Amino acid sequence: MLKATLRSFLAHKGRLALSMLAVLLSVAFVAGTLMFTDTIGSTFDRLFRSTSADVSITAHNDVAGRNDQNFSGTVPTVPASLIPQVAHIPGVAAVNGRVSMAGIVLTDANNKSIGAIGGAPTIGINWSPGPNSPVDLTSGTAPSGDGQVVVDSDTVSKHHLVLGQQLHVIGATGGFPVRLTGIATFNTTNPGATLVFLDTGTAQRRLLGHEGVFTSVDLTAAKGVTNEQLRDRVAPVVGSAYDVKTAEQTAKDAAQTLGAFLSVIKDALLGFAGIAVLVGVSLILNTFSMLVAQRTRELGLMRALGASREQVNRSVLVEAALLGLMGSTLGLFLGVGLALGLIKLIARGGMVLKGSQLAVHWPTIVAAYAVGIIVTTVSAYLPARRASRISPMAALREADTPGRGAPLRIRAVVGLVVLAVSAGLLVGAATDKDLGQAGILLGGGVLLSLVGLIIIGPLLATPVIRLVGGWFPRVFGPVGTLSQRNALRNPRRTSATASALMIGLALVASLSVVGSSMAASFDAQIDKTIGADLIVQNSTGLPFPNEVGDTVQATPGVGLAVRGQGTRGALVAADGTQQKTVVVGTSPGLDKVVRIEMRNGTVAAGTAPGHAMIGSNYADAHGLHLGSPVTILFQSGRAGTLTVGGIDVTDTNPGGLGDEPVVASSTLRQYVPGALDDIVFVNVAPGADKEQVKSALTTALAKDPQVQVRDQTDYKKLVRGQIDLLLNLVYGLLALAIIIAILGVVNTLALSVIERTREIGLLRAIGLGRAQLRRMVRLEAVVIALFGAVLGLGLGLGWGLAAQRLLAAKGLQSLAIPWSTIIAVVIGAAVVGLLAALGPALRASRLNVLDAIAHE
Amino acid sequence: MAASGQPAARAVGLCKAYGSGETAVLALDRVDVEIDGGRFTAIMGPSGSGKSTLMHCLAGLDKPTGGEVYVGDTELSHLGDRALTRLRRDRIGFVFQAFNLLPTLTAEENITLPGDIAGRRTDAAWLRQVVETLNLGDRLRHRPHELSGGQQQRVAVARALAARPQLIFADEPTGNLDSRSGAEVLGFLRRSVDELGQTVVMVTHDPNAASFADLVLFLADGRIVDRLEGPTADAVLERMRRFDVRGGSQVTLPAPDAD
Ligand SMILES: Nc1ncnc2c1ncn2[C@@H]1O[C@H](COP(=O)(O)OP(=O)(O)OP(=O)(O)O)[C@@H](O)[C@H]1O
Ligand SMILES: [Mg+2]
């Protein structure tokens, strides 16, 4: 029996090839994702381990986030006076004061930015190599004095910098010229950060704003002293105002922050892999159904010759397992290729990983085989069971009458019930006030509606295909009629084929609805809240030196410039509980550039020195009124009690103020010295031309390439661009599922052509031309693809609508149906059909007429 | 339509070999034959004698390995696939031994299919006549799987006739029919020859069927070995007996039919 199985496996290898391709692609996606994210993880692990000092001392701060030292441009610092205190502790081999500041900008002499703005960070570091320094000076000399800089070798070679070249560094206090004196090379892979080394004094002055402070004090443990021992000796000396951490803890903390981000990427990619697997399942299921149907007679013969039901069953399953095994193995290899491709791709986005350090861990291999083999055997099980249930004689007789499956009534009832339940869930999701609960309802609704539609698909095939292909006979004559009838011949098969496409397109449709609703809502929000003519901002929202604001104010044509700052902080209630928030600082005139709905008081009064403007939600929750005292804990760790001067209506929409307190810039800087601007709103002077002022500002700000001048249209474009980028990324990932779906259409057509060989011969004998025959196959494919598109779009619009209603509370208030995307999907589906039909159509048209007629 | 007496198709030195080298089978061996227009020709011979092959070559379905085939004045050997397809579509009707109809089309759609493919309207009056004669009036809306074997065969004959081709080839059209339905189909073919000047070529094993023809050609080992004008069933049977003696074991142990 096994021999027979193997032989039949080999005999059908052509027909199985496409199924295997589906397994292969699914497995490759899963394996590639795992390898890719593992590689990112291990690269950063190595980096963190190499850059972490044995023991490091940092200022303890509850408010500032651990890794957002670039928020407001100020960081908690450690005084240099701490160094002598710890230097004499036994076990300390070396002490290094470290300045490390992300969010700086390096430009060339023409003000062109070096290093990615918005991609990987540009980090300013003091040149103070400790005993196990992660970098070595590989050419030139170390920086000394105000005007010298050492840059990492990756950046140097990427931007073709040469020693002696004039550069420009923009730090917290503004820009200053430097000369490249040396090149530093990493011992491990540097994943893309641009490193700018300055001498310690310069780094302190220019990046931190003060001499005599560091961002951390790094200790090297003497031989024979473990990091833990050293930490335990240092901690009591420095006291609770400082955090003392071993290298392992520092690396772990850094990895944790990265890990959260990585796991989001991983989950997202695996989600798409899951979709690909799902589509793959439907393809394999369909292929095996067709193969088994075609082999009914063969299987019947085996049964008649005495093979038991289990043997027949097993023979199909063994075949599937073989297919899964081969598909998984090849998929694993393709996964390596995919991971390498992804590594290349993100290198362009600024994250450099080394392909030679690709991480292939054993769970990846296990997952690949598990997915491949389980998916294939499970998908083959149903058809196998059906095959073994056929009585041998029925199988041998094998009436090849088309379109006469089992009654579809049960299917209709079950499908309708599932669809009704899913509709209920979706409506529930759209109307539920509780966001978490609505999310669960949405997820359930999405899943159930998908299942429902797959169940009911065969019943929809006839009406929908009559609709989308109804005009075929009129336009394409008998070829149109034949193709439409062929598509309708086996509704189960047609709908199974189309459902693979449906899944991919439903996701495209729903996400595009959400995406364009997001863009429209944002547009509306901008129109509603932004009153400024122009906005000067870093595209990533990072702060910039205050000289930018000064330049703006000095530019002719600028009427009002309102400068804003954002710092970490917390609102402290009377009972001492803290609510973490962002504390916003503003120069006078905020109400002239941003429309804020006030409940009590005015913006001007709220942002007067010593006062604060707070949100109505917070005010109500804590019984605050105009004139009440409100305590704010600032990023610096200092708390201040201010007077409530205004209460704005809490606006939780994206871009809205929320419950963030707003204070005068002068007040903010009293508590957070050196807080940098991160936005400047500009109103042009009366009579000045907005466009002229905009270009004047752009020229004036040329030396600060990190900031851009935008009017409201630019701003909307920016947001739209970001949403589009995200959508395109998602579409790109969905492309895999769609490719697998196309394979499904190819497979169905190819098997149909084989099944209909005699018909094709007959048609050719009575005078159907080759081109007409090809057109017949193509039209059938188009009809199937359009059927999938119609279902997918319908489903996707439903999902998108429910999601928009659900997110309306979160600010997604405008519903926008992206008609252009929808039309593109329909046209795309037709093209997909045409593409899928290429091979099968060619094959059909090449059949020898007589051989085809004689085909049994 | 070819005028009576003129050859509607002819073959000169027609050879057809399958395979090559030692295993080569010569299915047709230098056959010279003329199919007279407006006549009903039957081809008979033992299984494997090359009847189907001859018909396929004459109809442009198969490429001869030697010799020439003419349909009307057209020589087929240098026609490409496109021209051959058009020739089959416009000038030839075919009835196969089995599997003649497209399962997705109704009987009527099957009948009008060649005309539809060519973009011609089938003459409605003629279609009605064909359908009535073949007794298919109440079956036109049915799909092939809802028809009996004989009905399916009659639909195939109707299809061949409906487009009024110059030549109709029928490979054992009555093989699956009971004698009464067989006689109906044959009678209709006969009438289409007599009344409309249709040219019909039919392969058959049945002397009764052959007796409907004007001329019977006898094929053996890929050659035309005999011909009988104005055959009767008895005369055909008589010739076949003679044949049996000559053909020896070939007939008593028929090779499996390739069709
Ligand atoms: N495709 C093929 N390949 C090889 N040999 C073939 C092929 N088709 C036919 N033959 C051989 O050619 C010879 C003639 O075959 P053909 O089908 O014309 O016979 P026939 O007279 O129609 O027989 P039957 O009465 O059984 O239908 C036979 O010996 C057959 O084996
Ligand atoms: Mg034959």
Side-chain angles (χ1 to χ4, degrees):
Chain A
M1 194 68 188
L2 185 66
K3 215 155 100 195
T5 303
L6 280 174
R7 198 164 301 145
S8 99
F9 181 74
L10 292 174
H12 294 103
K13 60 182 180 302
R15 308 182 193 182
L16 288 170
L18 288 165
S19 298
M20 190 160 83
L21 212 52
V23 181
L24 191 158
L25 286 175
S26 308
V27 169
F29 205 141
V30 172
T33 300
L34 292 173
M35 290 182 215
F36 174 62
T37 47
D38 285 349
T39 305
I40 298 180
S42 62
T43 302
F44 278 95
D45 267 353
R46 274 196 299 273
L47 179 76
F48 294 148
R49 245 181 287 129
S50 79
T51 53
S52 305
D54 289 350
V55 169
S56 63
I57 307 170
T58 51
H60 179 80
N61 187 317
D62 277 336
V63 188
R66 202 168 301 288
N67 277 302
D68 47 37
Q69 50 175 215
N70 45 30
F71 215 88
S72 86
T74 68
V75 285
T77 53
V78 180
S81 59
L82 203 66
I83 294 180
Q85 282 183 44
V86 295
H88 70 271
I89 296 177
V92 174
V95 187
N96 260 298
R98 171 75 52 217
V99 176
S100 174
M101 188 74 185
I104 68 161
V105 180
L106 180 68
T107 66
D108 63 14
N110 303 321
N111 295 322
K112 228 182 112 258
S113 177
I114 292 166
I117 294 179
T122 300
I123 306 173
I125 304 174
N126 65 325
W127 182 260
S128 155
N132 6 344
S133 165
V135 290
D136 297 318
L137 189 69
T138 43
S139 62
T141 56
S144 82
D146 214 8
Q148 298 197 350
V149 71
V150 166
V151 175
D152 71 282
S153 56
D154 293 325
T155 305
V156 166
S157 60
K158 199 157 80 194
H159 293 273
H160 313 292
L161 305 183
V162 289
L163 286 181
Q165 185 171 350
Q166 208 59 48
L167 299 170
H168 212 76
V169 175
I170 305 169
T173 59
F176 58 100
V178 288
R179 199 166 51 83
L180 184 65
T181 58
I183 298 169
T185 306
F186 252 92
N187 312 335
T188 60
T189 306
N190 168 18
T194 300
L195 299 178
V196 176
F197 296 95
L198 302 163
D199 93 332
T200 299
T202 311
Q204 288 171 329
R205 265 193 318 282
R206 297 291 195 174
L207 306 183
L208 300 179
H210 310 277
E211 300 248 14
V213 292
F214 292 101
T215 46
S216 68
V217 169
D218 293 351
L219 306 179
T220 308
K223 266 213 174 67
V225 180
T226 65
N227 295 346
E228 283 74 23
Q229 285 169 338
L230 188 60
R231 177 197 57 197
D232 294 343
R233 289 179 205 171
V234 171
V237 176
V238 296
S240 64
Y242 299 97
D243 292 328
V244 183
K245 283 190 204 154
T246 61
E248 293 72 31
Q249 286 173 312
T250 311
K252 216 174 105 198
D253 284 354
Q256 242 166 23
T257 317
L258 178 79
F261 162 75
L262 256 190
S263 77
V264 168
I265 293 188
K266 193 170 175 173
D267 289 350
L269 284 176
L270 284 179
F272 286 104
I275 293 164
V277 170
L278 189 70
V279 174
V281 166
S282 88
L283 194 167
I284 297 164
L285 193 74
N286 210 18
T287 307
F288 269 92
S289 301
M290 283 188 277
L291 285 178
V292 167
Q294 286 181 7
R295 283 166 51 202
T296 306
R297 208 186 300 192
E298 184 189 322
L299 294 174
L301 189 63
M302 279 159 102
R303 293 266 282 123
L305 293 179
S308 72
R309 188 173 280 188
E310 288 70 34
Q311 277 173 314
V312 169
N313 220 327
R314 212 179 307 137
S315 103
V316 176
L317 285 181
V318 168
E319 213 171 298
L322 276 174
L323 186 78
L325 195 70
M326 279 164 66
S328 309
T329 308
L330 294 175
L332 208 50
F333 283 106
L334 187 66
V336 171
L338 197 71
L340 291 177
L342 283 172
I343 285 172
K344 277 242 166 62
L345 199 71
I346 61 158
R348 280 207 250 150
M351 189 188 278
V352 183
L353 304 174
K354 289 230 162 62
S356 56
Q357 292 173 343
L358 189 72
V360 186
H361 299 320
W362 66 263
T364 305
I365 295 171
V366 171
Y369 279 103
V371 166
I373 295 174
I374 293 174
V375 156
T376 325
T377 37
V378 167
S379 317
Y381 178 69
L382 287 176
R385 211 181 50 154
R386 208 179 307 142
S388 67
R389 282 215 179 141
I390 302 171
S391 86
M393 279 331 288
L396 280 172
R397 248 184 278 118
E398 194 223 13
D400 63 341
T401 48
R404 276 205 296 192
L408 295 167
R409 193 172 313 142
I410 298 168
R411 196 175 261 272
V413 173
V414 174
L416 282 176
V417 168
V418 173
L419 275 183
V421 172
S422 73
L425 289 180
L426 288 176
V427 170
T431 48
D432 201 311
K433 290 276 177 292
D434 179 352
L435 213 59
Q437 198 173 310
I440 295 171
L441 289 180
L442 181 69
V446 163
L447 217 65
L448 275 188
S449 56
L450 187 65
V451 171
L453 216 51
I454 288 176
I455 294 177
I456 215 165
L459 290 152
L460 293 176
T462 310
V464 173
I465 286 178
R466 291 246 163 86
L467 194 78
V468 297
W471 48 277
F472 277 15
R474 241 171 300 131
V475 178
F476 299 106
V479 172
T481 312
L482 284 167
S483 63
Q484 203 200 359
R485 299 264 173 88
N486 280 339
L488 283 174
R489 203 162 176 166
N490 191 334
R492 241 179 257 262
R493 181 188 297 181
T494 298
S495 98
T497 309
S499 64
L501 205 54
M502 171 183 89
I503 297 171
L505 296 182
L507 286 165
V508 168
S510 58
L511 290 170
S512 74
V513 168
V514 172
S516 60
S517 296
M518 214 188 272
S521 304
F522 218 92
D523 284 359
Q525 180 73 11
I526 289 171
D527 287 338
K528 205 177 91 190
T529 58
I530 306 279
D533 293 327
L534 300 168
I535 298 170
V536 179
Q537 207 185 8
N538 194 323
S539 58
T540 53
L542 286 182
F544 39 78
N546 292 334
E547 65 182 22
V548 169
D550 300 341
T551 309
V552 171
Q553 270 171 333
T555 304
V558 170
L560 174 70
V562 177
R563 301 159 68 156
Q565 305 83 35
T567 63
R568 297 273 180 199
L571 285 159
V572 186
D575 60 0
T577 53
Q578 298 183 2
Q579 177 179 327
K580 285 202 174 176
T581 182
V582 171
V583 182
V584 178
T586 176
S587 63
L590 185 65
D591 51 337
K592 309 237 169 27
V593 290
V594 179
R595 297 192 192 97
I596 300 170
E597 195 185 334
M598 296 302 290
R599 207 179 65 186
N600 306 103
T602 61
V603 175
T607 58
H611 287 70
M613 181 171 87
I614 58 172
S616 56
N617 280 1
Y618 188 79
D620 293 347
H622 295 89
L624 301 178
H625 310 283
L626 286 184
S628 306
V630 58
T631 305
I632 296 175
L633 180 62
F634 289 93
Q635 174 165 326
S636 54
R638 288 162 59 192
T641 300
L642 306 172
T643 310
V644 175
I647 298 175
D648 59 275
V649 178
T650 301
D651 177 3
T652 53
N653 290 323
L657 256 183
D659 265 333
E660 297 168 6
V662 185
V663 300
S665 298
S666 56
T667 306
L668 181 72
R669 292 205 172 105
Q670 223 175 300
Y671 294 95
V672 188
L676 300 183
D677 296 343
D678 55 22
I679 194 163
V680 181
F681 296 101
V682 173
N683 276 347
V684 301
D689 178 60
K690 200 172 85 178
E691 285 307 311
Q692 271 172 15
V693 175
K694 186 179 160 193
S695 66
L697 277 174
T698 307
T699 315
L701 292 172
K703 63 182 191 314
D704 291 289
Q706 78 273 35
V707 294
Q708 290 88 32
V709 184
R710 297 191 183 86
D711 57 23
Q712 293 197 11
T713 319
D714 298 333
Y715 204 63
K716 289 176 188 168
K717 233 187 270 167
L718 179 77
V719 172
R720 211 168 264 274
Q722 283 164 350
I723 292 172
D724 283 348
L725 190 73
L726 199 67
L727 278 182
N728 285 337
L729 201 71
V730 171
Y731 294 160
L733 291 167
L734 282 175
L736 187 83
I738 293 174
I739 288 173
I740 296 180
I742 297 175
L743 289 180
V745 181
V746 174
N747 221 357
T748 300
L749 287 175
L751 290 169
S752 296
V753 164
I754 294 169
E755 270 180 17
R756 298 177 198 153
T757 302
R758 274 211 300 190
E759 275 173 64
I760 290 167
L762 179 64
L763 279 166
R764 296 275 289 125
I766 63 173
L768 194 74
R770 279 198 175 135
Q772 285 175 303
L773 188 60
R774 281 199 295 269
R775 182 180 296 161
M776 182 181 94
V777 178
R778 279 203 299 267
L779 287 176
E780 181 179 351
V782 169
V783 157
I784 294 175
L786 285 178
F787 173 51
V790 166
L791 293 194
L793 287 176
L795 197 60
L797 290 179
W799 293 350
L801 194 71
Q804 186 269 331
R805 293 313 317 153
L806 187 159
L807 291 171
K810 277 270 176 193
L812 201 72
Q813 273 160 345
S814 319
L815 173 70
I817 308 277
W819 291 111
S820 58
T821 307
I822 287 171
I823 291 168
V825 164
V826 173
I827 295 173
V831 173
V832 158
L834 289 178
L835 285 180
L838 280 181
L842 200 65
R843 186 178 169 148
S845 75
R846 290 237 176 106
L847 283 174
N848 176 292
V849 181
L850 284 174
D851 291 350
I853 294 174
H855 186 88
E856 51 100 38
Chain B
M1 227 167 293
S4 185
Q6 265 206 322
R10 74 196 157 90
V12 183
L14 179 62
C15 291
K16 176 74 191 181
Y18 288 107
S20 59
E22 291 197 0
T23 57
V25 177
L26 200 55
L28 294 175
D29 186 5
R30 281 161 294 164
V31 173
D32 297 310
V33 68
E34 282 190 5
I35 304 295
D36 294 329
R39 292 191 82 191
F40 191 163
T41 307
I43 301 175
M44 298 194 76
S47 185
S49 56
K51 306 181 294 291
S52 296
T53 308
L54 175 62
M55 236 171 55
H56 292 155
C57 286
L58 288 174
L61 277 168
D62 208 351
K63 287 254 176 220
T65 40
E68 288 163 351
V69 174
Y70 295 85
V71 170
D73 298 329
T74 318
E75 209 274 300
L76 303 191
S77 67
H78 48 256
L79 292 187
D81 179 74
R82 197 180 294 249
L84 280 175
T85 301
R86 198 169 315 126
L87 177 100
R88 290 199 298 268
R89 190 185 75 192
D90 297 340
R91 293 163 69 176
I92 289 167
F94 227 106
V95 182
F96 292 100
Q97 198 167 350
F99 196 80
N100 263 301
L101 307 178
L102 285 165
T104 51
L105 300 183
T106 63
E108 182 170 14
E109 286 165 335
N110 263 295
I111 292 171
T112 57
L113 188 59
D116 289 342
I117 291 173
R120 277 193 309 259
R121 279 204 68 79
T122 311
D123 177 353
W126 170 239
L127 183 64
R128 206 172 321 117
Q129 195 185 334
V130 168
V131 166
E132 266 166 29
T133 315
L134 288 169
N135 228 338
L136 289 167
D138 54 345
R139 287 281 179 269
L140 286 179
R141 308 225 154 272
H142 292 239
R143 295 275 176 98
H145 65 85
E146 296 161 333
L147 300 174
S148 75
Q151 285 165 338
Q152 289 181 25
Q153 207 61 8
R154 277 184 280 160
V155 172
V157 171
R159 182 187 62 209
L161 285 166
R164 295 212 233 189
Q166 288 171 6
L167 264 159
I168 291 177
F169 290 100
D171 198 346
E172 301 187 47
T174 54
N176 289 333
L177 302 187
D178 65 69
S179 56
R180 220 197 71 186
S181 344
E184 273 172 20
V185 169
L186 289 164
F188 188 76
L189 287 173
R190 179 73 252 172
R191 266 169 56 201
S192 70
V193 172
D194 291 340
E195 293 167 17
L196 299 152
Q198 184 74 57
T199 309
V200 176
V201 181
M202 169 181 76
V203 168
T204 184
H205 285 282
D206 175 8
N208 275 322
S211 69
F212 281 79
D214 299 312
L215 168 69
V216 181
L217 300 175
F218 291 93
L219 223 60
D221 291 335
R223 291 159 179 271
I224 294 187
V225 291
D226 205 351
R227 45 189 292 142
L228 180 63
E229 292 272 356
T232 60
D234 289 340
V236 173
L237 209 55
E238 174 60 23
R239 289 286 168 99
M240 280 170 70
R241 276 213 196 91
R242 269 199 272 156
F243 237 19
D244 271 0
V245 178
R246 277 212 310 249
S249 61
Q250 233 182 358
V251 179
T252 40
L253 279 177
D257 198 319
D259 293 340

